[in-house]
Amino acid sequence: MIDALPEKGVPAEQVLAELRELRGSDLPTHGGRLFAYVYDPALDGLDELARAAHAISSHVNGLDPTAFPSLLAMENALVGAAARLLGGSDGTVGSVTSGGTESLILAVKAARDAHPEISSPRLVIPSTAHAAFAKAAHYLRVELDVVPTKGLKADPQAMGAAVRPETVLVAASAPSYAHGVVDPIPEIAALAAERGVRFHVDACFGGWILPYLRRLGADLPDFDLSVPGVTSISVDLHKYAYAPKGVSVLLHRDEALRRPQYFAYADWPGYTMINPIISSTRSGGPIAAAVATLRSIGDAGYRDLAVSVQEAVSILAAAVTETDGVRLYAPAETSVVCLASDGVDLFVLADELAARGWHTQPQMAYGDFPPTIHLTVTASVRATAPSFAADLKSAVSSARARGPVEIPQLPPLTPEMITPELIASLAEGLGLGGGDFSQMAAVNSILNAAPPALREALLTGFLSLLQRPTAL
Ligand SMILES: *Cc1c(COP(=O)(O)O)cnc(C)c1O
């Protein structure tokens, strides 16, 4: 337990020691064994550089770029670099946001507010689009039209057919997070343009690696602003640009497209508020750290990192292909390895892999998609990948021996029945009371069997159980 407001201040050394101890219980952010959440290039000295840059600008406030021109210069540099990498041209403009979710919310907001005459605006996405679009639609009260995919990729014809007079935005992924496949962007862009609707490419995940994979010869479609009809694109610098958390870039083809993204308000006694993004006050730290990261790695460095990712992906994909009991679920064409079961319980397998130090991300069944295990592969995995095959084989054989987990008999539940008391007793019964999340197969099996609305209610209840203030 940490007392965040001690009676008397605590010496710096002690504070830092406490933080380091707390960090000890986290999953490993470095070392190429965590396949979600973190992006590690394994470059000597880069962490120290980013940390120092963060410290230089951490107290600078992005609220007003005229007061802090350093931040304006750094943001313009990041937007310029992203535009150069992603097919931008002279008119391209953009914003630096705090992350992919914020970039997508703002792309939807700009599209919605470009059409004040449409009273119930709609957003068309493929079913594989990131959940952040649903969040944007929810926050902004935009109706979501989710279009089934053809295989794992967006179906351009079906998406075109889903466009209605109220549609303000069409979106697709390059690549999708769950499977790492690139939607047919040129075809969708053409259909959106024909209908006069904005088209956003969500390259939050892979926007900083796809250009390099393509340069290295990967057979991937055009996906960026060079494609006519693409009106905006987002790329997270805290993913494959390997910057510390808190930085994404949203690009628009031109200034007119960006304008409705701004919020302006002069009708109060304080300063006139002009915000291109959701937050007002924000730290310059992440932005400075991103600039330092990009400048330190450079274009040639990102190319080399993409080579490492490509090699690591091939090694991991081969391990999956060669192991009885699992199979590749999606073509490993970018930076994701996504595997499905061929006779083994995937949730037990995920626990067995974790027990061997490989932290993967289970994905639940969805529509016709079976449960899968997702691996986000970053450059640091190049060094660890060769030892994956043996552990995968042994994890599969242990998972086989254990068989599927037995799910406790639960009464039929509906989302309305989920109370804090029920969640607390379920968590206790499943052994989650003590904060040990290493045995998740039973939990994941229950969640997998639950329809989406029930799964949402269960997990919301569980998180809200965890998110309680430290005892007073
Ligand atoms: C990560 C991701 C997002 C959301 O980004 P956050 O930075 O987590 O807010 C959106 N789209 C895709 C494809 C992503 O991978």
Side-chain angles (χ1 to χ4, degrees), residues 39 98-104 128-133 135 172-178 202-206 234 236 238-239 245-248 376:
Y39 296 76
S98 65
T101 301
E102 186 177 4
S103 290
L104 297 187
T128 47
H130 197 278
F133 283 111
K135 181 172 175 178
S173 321
S176 64
Y177 177 78
D202 177 7
C204 283
F205 181 63
S234 49
D236 292 352
H238 59 211
K239 289 178 179 163
K245 302 286 177 240
V247 188
S248 171
T376 287

Side-chain angles (χ1 to χ4, degrees), residues 2 53 123 167 173 242 262 270 371-372 410 419 448:
I2 285 237
L123 162 62
T167 303
S173 321
Y242 298 105
Y262 282 80
T372 51
L410 294 176
T419 60
N448 184 58

Side-chain angles (χ1 to χ4, degrees), residues 288-432:
V291 169
T293 302
L294 263 62
R295 282 189 57 73
S296 170
I297 295 177
D299 195 59
Y302 282 113
R303 184 192 168 282
D304 293 346
L305 291 169
V307 171
S308 296
V309 169
Q310 228 175 12
E311 291 174 358
V313 163
S314 323
I315 296 168
L316 298 175
V320 172
T321 308
E322 288 157 13
T323 304
D324 274 349
V326 290
R327 65 190 166 92
L328 273 187
Y329 184 66
E333 63 184 33
T334 60
S335 58
V336 170
V337 174
C338 179
L339 58 107
S341 163
D342 221 353
V344 67
D345 186 292
L346 274 193
F347 301 123
V348 175
L349 176 61
D351 282 357
E352 290 295 332
L353 283 169
R356 289 161 179 77
W358 302 97
H359 305 282
T360 62
Q361 191 167 53
Q363 300 182 138
M364 309 290 152
Y366 168 78
D368 294 337
F369 301 165
T372 51
I373 287 180
H374 167 109
L375 313 183
T376 287
V377 181
T378 66
S380 63
V381 178
R382 178 62 188 89
T384 53
S387 56
F388 183 71
D391 282 336
L392 177 64
K393 283 195 176 67
S394 118
V396 164
S397 91
S398 299
R400 273 227 173 90
R402 279 175 59 186
V405 278
E406 291 194 20
I407 310 185
Q409 275 304 309
L410 294 176
L413 292 171
T414 59
E416 301 71 42
M417 293 160 68
I418 307 303
T419 60
E421 294 70 31
L422 179 76
I423 292 288
S425 80
L426 268 176
E428 199 58 39
L430 289 164
L432 298 175

Side-chain angles (χ1 to χ4, degrees), residues 187-356:
E187 289 81 354
I188 304 169
L191 287 163
E194 217 170 80
R195 288 160 177 74
V197 177
R198 290 181 183 223
F199 176 38
H200 181 80
V201 173
D202 177 7
C204 283
F205 181 63
W208 214 269
I209 189 169
L210 284 189
Y212 296 98
L213 293 177
R214 280 162 52 94
R215 276 189 223 168
L216 291 165
D219 181 19
L220 295 165
D222 290 337
F223 71 97
D224 61 18
L225 286 170
S226 64
V227 178
V230 172
T231 53
S232 57
I233 187 168
S234 49
V235 55
D236 292 352
L237 303 190
H238 59 211
K239 289 178 179 163
Y240 283 97
Y242 298 105
K245 302 286 177 240
V247 188
S248 171
V249 174
L250 169 60
L251 298 175
H252 294 275
R253 179 174 290 282
D254 61 44
E255 173 59 28
L257 288 162
R258 179 176 66 172
R259 186 55 60 87
Q261 181 190 313
Y262 282 80
F263 177 80
Y265 199 75
D267 206 3
W268 74 305
Y271 59 89
T272 298
M273 179 191 262
I274 311 287
N275 289 155
I277 61 165
I278 295 177
S279 52
S280 278
T281 289
R282 62 175 169 149
S283 171
I287 292 162
V291 169
T293 302
L294 263 62
R295 282 189 57 73
S296 170
I297 295 177
D299 195 59
Y302 282 113
R303 184 192 168 282
D304 293 346
L305 291 169
V307 171
S308 296
V309 169
Q310 228 175 12
E311 291 174 358
V313 163
S314 323
I315 296 168
L316 298 175
V320 172
T321 308
E322 288 157 13
T323 304
D324 274 349
V326 290
R327 65 190 166 92
L328 273 187
Y329 184 66
E333 63 184 33
T334 60
S335 58
V336 170
V337 174
C338 179
L339 58 107
S341 163
D342 221 353
V344 67
D345 186 292
L346 274 193
F347 301 123
V348 175
L349 176 61
D351 282 357
E352 290 295 332
L353 283 169
R356 289 161 179 77

